Amino acid sequence: MAAAAARWNHVWVGTDTGILKGVNLQRKQAANFTASGQPRREEAVSALCWGAGGETQILVGCADGTVKHFSTEEGRFQGQRQCPGGEGTFRGLAQVDGTLITCVDSGILRVWHDKDKEASSDPLLELRVGPGVCRMRQDPARPHIVATGGKENALKVWDLQGSEEPLFRAKNVRNDWLDLRVPIWDQDIQFLPESQKLVTCTGYHQVRVYDPASPQRRPVLEATYGEYPLTAMTLTPEGNSVIVGNTHGQLAEIDLRQGRLLGCLKGLAGSVRGLQCHPSKPLLASCGLDRVLRIHRIRNPRGLEHKVYLKSQLNCLLLSGRDNWEDEPQEPQEPTKVPSEDTETDELWASLEAAAKRKLPNWEQTQGALQARRKKKKRPGSPSS
Amino acid sequence: MAKAGDKSGGSGKKGLKRKAATEEAQEAAVGEDGTTESGVQPPTTAAFPPGFSISEIKNKQRRHLMFTRWKQQQRKEKLAAKKKLKKEREALGDKAPPKPVPKTIDNQRVYDETIVDPNDEEVAYDEATDEFASYFNRQTSPKILITTSDRPHGRTVRLCEQLSTVIPNSHVYYRRGLALKKIIPQCISRDFTDLIVINEDRKIPNGLILSHLPNGPTAHFKMSSVRLRKEIKRRGKDPTEHIPEIILNNFTTRLGHSIGRMFASLFPHNPQFIGRQVATFHNQRDYIFFRFHRYIFKSEKKVGIQELGPRFTLKLRSLQKGTFDSKYGEYEWVHKPREMDTSRRKFHL
């Protein structure tokens, strides 16, 4: 049953049509999961985060203001809750201690009780972060700390257990060489591990590092890449560099110690919407508007590992951080599972996975087909005639 | 030997040269290993040392001569093989194996996983709810604004006029140095559904930006081979006001579908068949050929066509998600030559 195998999916991707896709790179299969059985554009997934209890639950934030719970063990949506308030889509989703933190585009950050039996209850805490929020990110080391940033909305770090005032409010850089104010557009934020520092990438192709521990509120380091807005960012396993993606599909690795470009990754054709690195392996998952999920290897050697065409525009992704990528422990239902995979007699699963189960072409084969074959030119007068 | 040499060097007639050469070769053959092959052409292996190729002859005229001889021999062999094959086919009659299909680049196209399967529900839902849904549901009818880059020259102006006769309900406006981002909100408020901007460089039109208006995708094309009406030979009279039919050929991949829908949404839904006019967007190897014809059915199977209007070729450079915003917009597809054009058999549309 594909539902039972959902726990072994390596990447979970949210799309514009409201479908949550689980991709298993080992078996090269992609499966669709929808809450209502039909894709609906109103339920476009705008934020994804892991739920409580390791990686067994996924919280899916949809465009209509609902947060759905999806269980990877069972492979189906378990419940949903309305999170009204503010206008715009979810820009950040996080959970801590049984509570849910949501932030919408208009700047309303709310903390909810995570009991999905209740249809809607009042939020435990509400903060106004400022309009035009592009991202809200939770610090993985200190779950009560969140950071928000957006268009003309400077980076702010909030402590949800503390006061209503932000812990750290970033200051804009000095005026540029024409004495004009430099505009602010923070598109993505990441917390650097083992320190209080934060990295942001902006829509004006800058990557900035802020240090709340230092007395200066201006960025400690600034690096630029390319000429197009950077839309997504992720930290590499070592923590010394970040990988950013822009609206043209260019991916670059930028070193944070020196602020220089380490290298680029090829392949994407559309705007990068989601990026995530594996915590220990040198793998990077990227998804974008060109409807393809790509897994790249970041070092030795840098290149494309897997490419999966998923028919809708992809908005966000979650990469499973588990270590046993290749090994899949035998399940007790193994012998009964095999015939049902071959003969899809179960209509319930067929309706859930509308045209989803597909075998990806072997990556090696695709590479071979692309190589041009050159015929040897027959030379006149040579003995082979 | 010297005489033969002179003959081959001096005379201009091919036949004499050939004879001289064969005499030479025959003499050499007799000299080399004593085989007395009295054929017109001694076998090359007997005449020359093994491993010898024509390109090693240093004398240009002699080398050219040997080459032409070799070429003629090849041609003869090919003709003979063809004749033999034809005879065999005739002899077999019905039992002959089917003719092998020649390989073309279109045949050898690399398998593209994004080719749309007509039964695919997810893609069908995606298309049914995309930005063109209101057009395909007959809720809106197209109203096009055609303009150019600033200060257009004659060819571009005439192309715009001719395009406005081809596309019904279209209006041409002179671009008085206005920024596109300022034009777009005005167009939206006046209910335009599409904006076409023809870019010009050095007095010839070379680019086309097609933007679907409320908030729809913007496609940027490279335009080449533009032929205005008077440059088209054997054309018919000017097109009438009837709404043409549309033909969209070969838009198979998902990207191709989006572009095809963009083109389809330029024309009203109700083609007037009395007008017998048809606009064709034919995609082959990622180049889109636009033609405008008038057809007439002479009998059930035979059609006569007259080419009317302008003709041009387009190649997609990028597809951007919102309305025109080349700097800050999000791109759905960007053409990257060094990454995407590595294989001659891979196409994207």
Side-chain angles (χ1 to χ4, degrees):
Chain A
M1 294 282 186
R7 69 177 78 184
W8 306 122
N9 284 337
H10 297 106
V11 192
W12 295 91
V13 193
T15 64
D16 243 355
T17 46
I19 304 175
L20 179 69
K21 291 183 187 261
V23 183
N24 189 323
L25 300 165
Q26 193 60 29
R27 275 191 270 166
K28 300 200 195 293
Q29 284 173 354
N32 281 2
F33 300 99
T34 42
S36 51
Q38 289 294 322
R40 284 176 63 225
R41 218 167 260 271
E42 298 81 31
E43 291 174 7
V45 177
S46 51
L48 278 182
C49 83
W50 292 112
E55 291 181 358
T56 54
Q57 218 191 40
I58 299 181
L59 299 170
V60 181
C62 299
D64 54 359
T66 57
V67 175
K68 301 182 164 75
H69 298 259
F70 179 81
S71 157
T72 53
E73 302 284 314
E74 295 168 41
R76 60 182 184 85
F77 281 90
Q78 283 178 325
Q80 67 174 51
R81 62 167 300 137
Q82 280 287 109
C83 297
E87 291 155 4
T89 61
F90 287 114
R91 293 294 185 182
L93 207 58
Q95 63 85 29
V96 61
D97 284 352
T99 59
L100 181 68
I101 313 171
T102 60
C103 185
V104 285
D105 202 21
S106 62
I108 312 256
L109 190 148
R110 285 183 169 180
V111 182
W112 308 81
H113 241 305
D114 196 16
K115 287 201 200 110
D116 42 16
K117 300 299 172 213
E118 299 172 33
S120 70
S121 55
D122 285 328
L124 290 174
L125 177 63
E126 180 173 320
L127 288 174
R128 279 181 198 275
V129 176
V133 175
C134 286
R135 186 75 73 181
M136 179 207 71
R137 189 74 81 169
Q138 180 193 40
D139 188 352
R142 303 170 290 166
H144 295 277
I145 310 281
V146 294
T148 57
K151 187 150 193 177
E152 296 308 323
N153 188 342
L155 176 70
K156 298 186 183 84
V157 181
W158 305 85
D159 185 354
L160 297 173
Q161 289 173 329
S163 67
E164 294 265 322
E165 286 298 310
L167 280 181
F168 172 72
R169 191 193 288 264
K171 194 168 167 181
N172 195 5
V173 294
R174 290 205 168 88
N175 286 354
D176 62 11
W177 64 292
L178 292 171
D179 203 23
L180 293 170
R181 176 187 171 265
V182 177
I184 302 176
W185 188 4
D186 286 322
Q187 289 255 38
D188 202 350
I189 309 170
Q190 287 282 354
F191 281 86
L192 285 175
E194 289 150 24
S195 77
Q196 281 188 0
K197 292 197 237 187
L198 302 110
V199 201
T200 59
C201 73
T202 69
Y204 299 106
H205 45 86
Q206 300 146 331
V207 177
R208 292 172 168 166
V209 178
Y210 293 88
D211 193 354
S214 76
Q216 77 172 25
R217 285 167 55 204
R218 289 204 165 115
V220 167
L221 179 76
E222 181 170 310
T224 58
Y225 169 68
E227 14 179 276
Y228 297 102
L230 301 173
T231 47
M233 184 166 70
T234 181
L235 299 166
T236 51
E238 272 78 52
N240 289 328
S241 56
V242 285
I243 300 189
V244 291
N246 66 7
T247 54
H248 253 230
Q250 294 160 343
L251 291 176
E253 186 173 354
I254 299 191
D255 186 29
L256 290 176
R257 295 174 289 188
Q258 289 181 316
R260 69 186 181 94
L261 176 69
L262 290 177
C264 294
L265 293 158
K266 299 201 291 194
L268 274 94
S271 173
V272 179
R273 281 280 176 100
L275 270 186
Q276 194 174 348
C277 255
H278 193 274
S280 50
K281 298 184 210 245
L283 292 177
L284 170 78
S286 58
C287 73
L289 290 182
D290 59 349
R291 303 182 166 96
V292 178
L293 169 74
R294 285 181 175 86
I295 310 284
H296 289 261
R297 182 169 283 278
I298 323 175
R299 72 184 75 85
N300 37 291
R302 194 180 269 142
L304 184 67
E305 282 247 345
H306 302 274
K307 187 169 90 149
V308 186
Y309 171 62
L310 303 165
K311 302 156 198 154
S312 314
Q313 289 180 344
L314 310 170
N315 259 342
C316 40
L317 62 81
L318 272 182
L319 182 63
S320 143
R322 63 175 209 260
D323 273 327
N324 57 338
W325 208 257
E326 277 81 18
D327 298 326
E328 226 160 284
Q330 292 293 322
E331 293 167 25
Q333 327 154 10
E334 201 50 77
T336 53
K337 199 169 67 152
V338 170
S340 73
E341 263 184 21
D342 290 338
T343 65
E344 275 211 283
T345 48
D346 207 331
E347 281 145 337
L348 182 62
W349 301 122
S351 72
L352 269 183
E353 310 158 41
K357 236 192 180 153
R358 46 186 293 283
K359 298 266 186 255
L360 301 172
N362 194 353
W363 187 60
E364 305 297 318
Q365 283 176 359
T366 337
Q367 266 214 323
L370 280 178
Q371 282 171 12
R373 262 178 264 127
R374 293 189 192 282
K375 269 199 200 154
K376 271 212 161 142
K377 219 176 160 183
K378 205 171 169 195
R379 284 157 131 246
S382 50
S384 61
S385 71
Chain B
M1 273 300 257
K3 247 196 194 169
D6 273 338
K7 267 198 198 156
S8 62
S11 70
K13 276 204 184 153
K14 214 182 194 178
L16 270 174
K17 261 200 202 169
R18 217 188 302 178
K19 250 197 201 163
T22 48
E23 279 174 20
E24 224 186 276
Q26 271 184 346
E27 286 180 37
V30 165
E32 288 269 52
D33 42 12
T35 49
T36 42
E37 296 220 16
S38 54
V40 181
Q41 290 282 20
T44 353
T45 45
F48 301 103
F52 179 83
S53 86
I54 298 186
S55 56
E56 288 173 25
I57 303 177
K58 293 302 176 184
N59 183 331
K60 182 170 179 173
Q61 283 187 333
R62 228 176 275 167
R63 183 173 67 237
H64 181 68
L65 177 78
M66 294 299 286
F67 177 72
T68 42
R69 256 212 290 156
W70 178 82
K71 243 336 207 207
Q72 280 162 356
Q73 183 189 8
Q74 293 292 98
R75 223 176 290 146
K76 256 198 192 161
E77 284 172 12
K78 189 173 173 187
L79 221 63
K82 257 194 184 168
K83 261 194 174 165
K84 191 170 138 213
L85 197 61
K86 192 168 177 192
K87 261 194 177 162
E88 282 174 13
R89 282 189 79 88
E90 276 177 19
L92 282 178
D94 281 333
K95 289 181 286 175
K99 274 193 175 175
V101 178
K103 284 195 219 175
T104 61
I105 289 196
D106 302 290
N107 280 352
Q108 306 293 95
R109 182 173 174 175
V110 159
Y111 168 71
D112 198 343
E113 53 197 353
T114 56
I115 287 181
V116 175
D117 180 19
N119 305 331
D120 197 329
E121 296 161 11
E122 191 179 335
V123 176
Y125 177 79
D126 200 9
E127 290 196 341
T129 50
D130 70 356
E131 292 100 345
F132 302 105
S134 63
Y135 165 79
F136 284 97
N137 292 338
R138 315 276 180 122
Q139 284 159 0
T140 52
S141 68
K143 187 175 171 192
I144 322 281
L145 178 71
I146 303 183
T147 183
T148 65
S149 53
D150 200 20
R151 300 191 138 249
H153 283 85
R155 274 187 78 88
T156 315
V157 174
R158 264 173 269 140
L159 175 68
C160 288
E161 289 167 22
Q162 293 178 7
L163 262 185
S164 68
T165 58
V166 164
I167 306 178
N169 203 7
S170 59
H171 309 262
V172 181
Y173 281 87
Y174 180 53
R175 173 100 172 267
R176 295 163 52 104
L178 299 166
L180 276 181
K181 287 206 210 167
K182 296 213 173 105
I183 298 180
I184 285 173
Q186 292 203 14
C187 284
I188 297 177
S189 64
R190 282 164 218 225
D191 280 337
F192 278 95
T193 57
D194 289 273
L195 171 69
I196 298 183
V197 182
I198 300 200
N199 189 53
E200 184 201 39
D201 182 50
R202 293 170 73 109
K203 305 186 191 174
I204 44 168
N206 72 346
L208 183 89
I209 296 179
L210 174 54
S211 186
H212 189 69
L213 272 187
N215 45 2
T218 305
H220 176 34
F221 296 95
K222 213 177 356 181
M223 185 154 66
S224 51
S225 279
V226 180
R227 303 280 176 262
L228 302 174
R229 262 184 210 135
K230 64 179 191 178
E231 295 158 11
I232 299 180
K233 297 185 179 169
R234 294 181 287 276
R235 67 178 163 96
K237 293 210 174 99
D238 283 342
T240 54
E241 295 291 319
H242 296 103
I243 297 176
E245 301 160 49
I246 319 294
I247 294 182
L248 294 164
N249 269 343
N250 226 351
F251 289 96
T252 45
T253 63
R254 184 69 187 82
L255 180 67
H257 263 238
S258 309
I259 302 289
R261 283 166 75 85
M262 253 189 130
F263 286 130
S265 70
L266 288 179
F267 295 87
H269 251 294
N270 45 336
Q272 289 170 314
F273 297 99
I274 350 166
R276 289 182 281 122
Q277 289 173 148
V278 57
T280 310
F281 291 90
H282 176 89
N283 170 39
Q284 189 155 344
R285 301 197 200 172
D286 282 355
Y287 283 91
I288 303 170
F289 299 92
F290 172 78
R291 303 284 184 269
F292 194 69
H293 295 281
R294 181 179 288 136
Y295 61 89
I296 180 159
F297 278 100
K298 295 182 196 158
S299 70
E300 265 226 10
K301 298 268 174 94
K302 284 179 78 172
V303 199
I305 52 173
Q306 270 182 344
E307 185 161 2
L308 310 177
R311 157 208 294 197
F312 49 83
T313 332
L314 298 172
K315 184 164 192 204
L316 182 67
R317 278 175 70 173
S318 66
L319 179 63
Q320 188 212 320
K321 197 165 153 92
T323 54
F324 180 77
D325 189 351
S326 57
K327 217 161 135 193
Y328 301 119
E330 289 199 315
Y331 284 85
E332 204 178 301
W333 188 82
V334 174
H335 181 248
K336 298 185 179 173
R338 297 195 71 179
E339 287 177 35
M340 298 181 181
D341 284 351
T342 44
S343 165
R344 296 183 73 149
R345 281 167 247 117
K346 179 154 178 53
F347 307 112
H348 309 282
L349 269 189

